[in-house]
Amino acid sequence: YDVYINQKKYRFMLDTGSSLTVLDNKIADKVSKRITEKEYYLPVTQLVSSNKNSTNDILFYHSPTMFFGQEQIYTSKIIALDLSHLKETIGEQIDGILGIDVFNQFIWEVDNSNGKLNIYKDKKIKGNYKNVINYREDDYPYFKLYKKNKSKDQNKEWITLHFALDTGAATSSLDPIIKNYMIVNNYNNKNLGRNSVDFMNKIESSNLVFIEDLEFGDEPPIKRMNFTYNKINKNLLGLDFLKRFDRFIFYPFQQKFYYNEMSFNPDPEPLRMIGVR
């Protein structure tokens, strides 16, 4: 997304898995002043480890005045990191990362079928949506997905999986403990292939698992969806999950997710996975 600072346009990425908004360290010195006291706390640790930095590499800055078009973005402080690796990974210059602190200030409407994003501030849902589901908010937006056991053990018929939405991850992944539990208890999974690392380095290069018939809201079960391990012991939904919806809205003011049709085409089985750096 385009974000304006001092009337100059910068390119930002939205990452619901980031607790704070980030600026590239080369830009931060030009648009803001450094906060001298050390303010390190747990949510930052994940971002630091994913970028292979130490806490000494984190620099806090006063938030500059930032805008989406005419709408101001409000943040108390930002952190500065070297974001050059993002350009290497996605092939586009990224000047900053909008974290969950910004996500919760706006309504986000995504039209995947037309490749459009609308950002609202006025708390009005525009357009007609057939379905709505509540999500909860901790450090991330959390959804519930349900999985039915295919075995005859009625005491383990259903499992409820809590997934954090992480738009900084291209693919979805499982806590290794949950993944192993589902395999042992015959929740209709299939292991094959290998998966490469996502751009924030949260995903392990490990066995890929396909899970059949996950249930989301009142929709028919999601046909085969692939997952891998992650390093942070959470179940994560990446962008591959959101791409299944034709249109959807995140409404953080009421913690609601509006959506229309969902694609139930199964994820394809890979012929061969080749990791490229």
Side-chain angles (χ1 to χ4, degrees):
Y1 319 109
D2 292 334
V3 173
Y4 290 85
I5 305 174
N6 298 334
Q7 288 79 49
K8 185 175 180 180
K9 182 170 69 176
Y10 296 92
R11 196 68 172 162
F12 275 66
M13 176 180 288
L14 176 70
D15 183 2
T16 55
S18 178
S19 299
L20 291 175
T21 292
V22 181
L23 265 178
D24 185 85
N25 51 14
K26 298 182 182 65
I27 298 174
D29 281 324
K30 298 177 181 178
V31 300
S32 183
K33 294 182 179 180
R34 188 179 303 179
I35 297 175
T36 55
E37 65 269 21
K38 293 184 178 180
E39 300 180 68
Y40 305 135
Y41 56 96
L42 185 60
V44 176
T45 306
Q46 175 190 322
L47 187 59
V48 175
S49 61
S50 66
N51 286 279
K52 297 183 174 61
N53 296 326
S54 69
T55 52
N56 293 327
D57 297 321
I58 296 183
L59 299 177
F60 281 87
Y61 284 76
H62 296 283
S63 179
T65 303
M66 301 185 288
F67 289 89
F68 278 137
Q70 301 299 315
E71 294 291 347
Q72 185 172 349
I73 299 168
Y74 294 95
T75 59
S76 58
K77 57 180 175 291
I78 59 172
I79 58 177
L81 291 173
D82 180 5
L83 300 181
S84 59
H85 67 290
L86 293 184
K87 182 177 181 180
E88 296 178 14
T89 306
I90 66 174
E92 181 179 351
Q93 178 65 43
I94 297 296
D95 302 311
I97 297 172
L98 301 174
I100 196 68
D101 54 341
V102 174
F103 176 82
N104 287 330
Q105 297 176 38
F106 296 91
I107 298 169
W108 306 82
E109 181 179 42
V110 177
D111 184 348
N112 277 329
S113 57
N114 294 305
K116 291 185 177 180
L117 167 74
N118 296 315
I119 304 171
Y120 303 116
K121 185 73 172 178
D122 58 10
K123 301 185 181 182
K124 293 180 181 179
I125 297 296
K126 301 180 180 181
N128 296 319
Y129 285 85
K130 299 177 182 177
N131 305 293
V132 61
I133 192 168
N134 292 319
Y135 65 88
R136 67 184 179 90
E137 181 78 60
D138 290 333
D139 292 332
Y140 311 74
Y142 272 86
F143 289 102
K144 289 181 181 179
L145 273 71
Y146 302 93
K147 183 72 180 74
K148 191 169 185 179
N149 191 353
K150 300 297 182 181
S151 72
K152 297 180 180 180
D153 186 350
Q154 298 301 314
N155 293 324
K156 299 177 180 177
E157 185 175 1
W158 288 91
I159 182 172
T160 302
L161 299 172
H162 298 268
F163 280 89
L165 178 71
D166 186 359
T167 57
T171 57
S172 299
S173 58
L174 292 174
D175 180 340
I177 296 175
I178 294 295
K179 180 178 173 182
N180 292 335
Y181 172 84
M182 295 180 70
I183 293 173
V184 169
N185 289 280
N186 192 31
Y187 279 88
N188 199 26
N189 309 318
K190 182 179 180 182
N191 283 289
L192 78 164
R194 296 183 67 82
N195 200 24
S196 56
V197 179
D198 78 317
F199 79 85
M200 288 301 283
N201 197 32
K202 297 172 188 172
I203 307 302
E204 293 276 12
S205 291
S206 57
N207 289 331
L208 190 68
V209 61
F210 285 128
I211 300 178
E212 302 276 359
D213 300 328
L214 284 170
E215 296 198 359
F216 177 80
D218 296 326
E219 296 286 349
I222 303 169
K223 296 179 181 178
R224 187 176 62 220
M225 187 172 174
N226 63 53
F227 296 87
T228 185
Y229 290 109
N230 62 58
K231 298 179 179 180
I232 61 173
N233 299 113
K234 290 180 181 288
N235 298 321
L236 299 179
L237 290 175
L239 287 182
D240 57 343
F241 178 75
L242 291 181
K243 288 178 181 178
R244 294 174 178 267
F245 299 91
D246 293 332
R247 291 170 61 237
F248 61 87
I249 285 183
F250 276 101
Y251 196 109
F253 305 110
Q254 294 182 358
Q255 295 183 358
K256 294 183 181 295
F257 178 74
Y258 293 82
Y259 65 97
N260 277 342
E261 290 74 17
M262 185 177 185
S263 171
F264 297 98
N265 295 325
D267 287 343
E269 297 189 10
L271 296 176
R272 181 170 56 170
M273 302 296 290
I274 303 175
V276 177
R277 178 68 171 91

PDB file of all heavy atoms in Angstrom, residues 52-65:
ATOM      1  N   LYS A  52      16.943 -12.222  12.159  1.00  0.00           N
ATOM      2  CA  LYS A  52      18.293 -12.581  12.596  1.00  0.00           C
ATOM      3  C   LYS A  52      19.042 -11.377  13.174  1.00  0.00           C
ATOM      4  O   LYS A  52      20.233 -11.221  12.999  1.00  0.00           O
ATOM      5  CB  LYS A  52      19.096 -13.210  11.446  1.00  0.00           C
ATOM      6  CG  LYS A  52      18.495 -14.528  10.944  1.00  0.00           C
ATOM      7  CD  LYS A  52      19.359 -15.133   9.856  1.00  0.00           C
ATOM      8  CE  LYS A  52      18.872 -16.511   9.454  1.00  0.00           C
ATOM      9  NZ  LYS A  52      17.515 -16.509   8.928  1.00  0.00           N
ATOM     10  N   ASN A  53      18.323 -10.510  13.857  1.00  0.00           N
ATOM     11  CA  ASN A  53      18.946  -9.385  14.552  1.00  0.00           C
ATOM     12  C   ASN A  53      18.961  -9.658  16.039  1.00  0.00           C
ATOM     13  O   ASN A  53      18.273 -10.539  16.533  1.00  0.00           O
ATOM     14  CB  ASN A  53      18.167  -8.088  14.295  1.00  0.00           C
ATOM     15  CG  ASN A  53      18.186  -7.688  12.838  1.00  0.00           C
ATOM     16  OD1 ASN A  53      19.179  -7.921  12.156  1.00  0.00           O
ATOM     17  ND2 ASN A  53      17.107  -7.110  12.361  1.00  0.00           N
ATOM     18  N   SER A  54      19.735  -8.904  16.767  1.00  0.00           N
ATOM     19  CA  SER A  54      19.683  -8.962  18.222  1.00  0.00           C
ATOM     20  C   SER A  54      18.876  -7.770  18.708  1.00  0.00           C
ATOM     21  O   SER A  54      18.573  -6.851  17.953  1.00  0.00           O
ATOM     22  CB  SER A  54      21.105  -8.904  18.805  1.00  0.00           C
ATOM     23  OG  SER A  54      21.667  -7.615  18.594  1.00  0.00           O
ATOM     24  N   THR A  55      18.524  -7.792  20.002  1.00  0.00           N
ATOM     25  CA  THR A  55      17.744  -6.674  20.530  1.00  0.00           C
ATOM     26  C   THR A  55      18.530  -5.369  20.468  1.00  0.00           C
ATOM     27  O   THR A  55      17.944  -4.292  20.468  1.00  0.00           O
ATOM     28  CB  THR A  55      17.326  -6.960  21.982  1.00  0.00           C
ATOM     29  OG1 THR A  55      18.491  -7.317  22.745  1.00  0.00           O
ATOM     30  CG2 THR A  55      16.322  -8.079  22.044  1.00  0.00           C
ATOM     31  N   ASN A  56      19.832  -5.449  20.415  1.00  0.00           N
ATOM     32  CA  ASN A  56      20.633  -4.230  20.297  1.00  0.00           C
ATOM     33  C   ASN A  56      20.460  -3.568  18.937  1.00  0.00           C
ATOM     34  O   ASN A  56      20.795  -2.403  18.753  1.00  0.00           O
ATOM     35  CB  ASN A  56      22.118  -4.547  20.525  1.00  0.00           C
ATOM     36  CG  ASN A  56      22.402  -4.966  21.951  1.00  0.00           C
ATOM     37  OD1 ASN A  56      21.751  -4.496  22.879  1.00  0.00           O
ATOM     38  ND2 ASN A  56      23.356  -5.867  22.133  1.00  0.00           N
ATOM     39  N   ASP A  57      19.948  -4.326  17.940  1.00  0.00           N
ATOM     40  CA  ASP A  57      19.742  -3.767  16.610  1.00  0.00           C
ATOM     41  C   ASP A  57      18.409  -3.039  16.485  1.00  0.00           C
ATOM     42  O   ASP A  57      18.155  -2.386  15.489  1.00  0.00           O
ATOM     43  CB  ASP A  57      19.793  -4.874  15.551  1.00  0.00           C
ATOM     44  CG  ASP A  57      21.159  -5.541  15.492  1.00  0.00           C
ATOM     45  OD1 ASP A  57      22.154  -4.813  15.630  1.00  0.00           O
ATOM     46  OD2 ASP A  57      21.216  -6.767  15.330  1.00  0.00           O
ATOM     47  N   ILE A  58      17.549  -3.154  17.496  1.00  0.00           N
ATOM     48  CA  ILE A  58      16.239  -2.511  17.436  1.00  0.00           C
ATOM     49  C   ILE A  58      16.359  -1.069  17.881  1.00  0.00           C
ATOM     50  O   ILE A  58      16.872  -0.781  18.961  1.00  0.00           O
ATOM     51  CB  ILE A  58      15.220  -3.231  18.328  1.00  0.00           C
ATOM     52  CG1 ILE A  58      14.985  -4.642  17.826  1.00  0.00           C
ATOM     53  CG2 ILE A  58      13.907  -2.480  18.349  1.00  0.00           C
ATOM     54  CD1 ILE A  58      13.942  -5.378  18.620  1.00  0.00           C
ATOM     55  N   LEU A  59      15.868  -0.166  17.065  1.00  0.00           N
ATOM     56  CA  LEU A  59      15.855   1.248  17.403  1.00  0.00           C
ATOM     57  C   LEU A  59      14.418   1.732  17.379  1.00  0.00           C
ATOM     58  O   LEU A  59      13.712   1.558  16.388  1.00  0.00           O
ATOM     59  CB  LEU A  59      16.706   2.048  16.414  1.00  0.00           C
ATOM     60  CG  LEU A  59      18.193   1.677  16.353  1.00  0.00           C
ATOM     61  CD1 LEU A  59      18.892   2.496  15.271  1.00  0.00           C
ATOM     62  CD2 LEU A  59      18.865   1.922  17.705  1.00  0.00           C
ATOM     63  N   PHE A  60      13.967   2.330  18.478  1.00  0.00           N
ATOM     64  CA  PHE A  60      12.631   2.886  18.557  1.00  0.00           C
ATOM     65  C   PHE A  60      12.649   4.350  18.113  1.00  0.00           C
ATOM     66  O   PHE A  60      13.569   5.096  18.437  1.00  0.00           O
ATOM     67  CB  PHE A  60      12.092   2.803  19.986  1.00  0.00           C
ATOM     68  CG  PHE A  60      11.592   1.442  20.359  1.00  0.00           C
ATOM     69  CD1 PHE A  60      12.464   0.494  20.859  1.00  0.00           C
ATOM     70  CD2 PHE A  60      10.258   1.109  20.204  1.00  0.00           C
ATOM     71  CE1 PHE A  60      12.017  -0.762  21.210  1.00  0.00           C
ATOM     72  CE2 PHE A  60       9.804  -0.148  20.548  1.00  0.00           C
ATOM     73  CZ  PHE A  60      10.676  -1.085  21.049  1.00  0.00           C
ATOM     74  N   TYR A  61      11.601   4.739  17.381  1.00  0.00           N
ATOM     75  CA  TYR A  61      11.470   6.110  16.907  1.00  0.00           C
ATOM     76  C   TYR A  61      10.083   6.638  17.253  1.00  0.00           C
ATOM     77  O   TYR A  61       9.120   5.869  17.346  1.00  0.00           O
ATOM     78  CB  TYR A  61      11.653   6.188  15.387  1.00  0.00           C
ATOM     79  CG  TYR A  61      13.096   6.082  14.933  1.00  0.00           C
ATOM     80  CD1 TYR A  61      13.751   4.868  14.926  1.00  0.00           C
ATOM     81  CD2 TYR A  61      13.792   7.211  14.508  1.00  0.00           C
ATOM     82  CE1 TYR A  61      15.071   4.757  14.504  1.00  0.00           C
ATOM     83  CE2 TYR A  61      15.116   7.114  14.081  1.00  0.00           C
ATOM     84  CZ  TYR A  61      15.744   5.891  14.090  1.00  0.00           C
ATOM     85  OH  TYR A  61      17.053   5.799  13.678  1.00  0.00           O
ATOM     86  N   HIS A  62      10.009   7.967  17.434  1.00  0.00           N
ATOM     87  CA  HIS A  62       8.700   8.595  17.496  1.00  0.00           C
ATOM     88  C   HIS A  62       8.020   8.421  16.152  1.00  0.00           C
ATOM     89  O   HIS A  62       8.653   8.511  15.111  1.00  0.00           O
ATOM     90  CB  HIS A  62       8.846  10.083  17.833  1.00  0.00           C
ATOM     91  CG  HIS A  62       9.438  10.344  19.183  1.00  0.00           C
ATOM     92  ND1 HIS A  62       8.717  10.220  20.348  1.00  0.00           N
ATOM     93  CD2 HIS A  62      10.698  10.719  19.556  1.00  0.00           C
ATOM     94  CE1 HIS A  62       9.491  10.496  21.379  1.00  0.00           C
ATOM     95  NE2 HIS A  62      10.695  10.804  20.934  1.00  0.00           N
ATOM     96  N   SER A  63       6.729   8.174  16.187  1.00  0.00           N
ATOM     97  CA  SER A  63       6.022   7.921  14.944  1.00  0.00           C
ATOM     98  C   SER A  63       5.903   9.195  14.121  1.00  0.00           C
ATOM     99  O   SER A  63       5.445  10.220  14.627  1.00  0.00           O
ATOM    100  CB  SER A  63       4.626   7.365  15.227  1.00  0.00           C
ATOM    101  OG  SER A  63       3.937   7.141  14.029  1.00  0.00           O
ATOM    102  N   PRO A  64       6.302   9.167  12.852  1.00  0.00           N
ATOM    103  CA  PRO A  64       6.062  10.329  11.993  1.00  0.00           C
ATOM    104  C   PRO A  64       4.584  10.416  11.647  1.00  0.00           C
ATOM    105  O   PRO A  64       3.824   9.465  11.851  1.00  0.00           O
ATOM    106  CB  PRO A  64       6.911  10.028  10.750  1.00  0.00           C
ATOM    107  CG  PRO A  64       6.943   8.537  10.691  1.00  0.00           C
ATOM    108  CD  PRO A  64       6.956   8.067  12.125  1.00  0.00           C
ATOM    109  N   THR A  65       4.165  11.531  11.107  1.00  0.00           N
ATOM    110  CA  THR A  65       2.781  11.676  10.658  1.00  0.00           C
ATOM    111  C   THR A  65       2.619  10.946   9.330  1.00  0.00           C
ATOM    112  O   THR A  65       3.278  11.273   8.344  1.00  0.00           O
ATOM    113  CB  THR A  65       2.406  13.157  10.502  1.00  0.00           C
ATOM    114  OG1 THR A  65       2.636  13.821  11.751  1.00  0.00           O
ATOM    115  CG2 THR A  65       0.949  13.309  10.118  1.00  0.00           C
TER     116      THR A  65
END
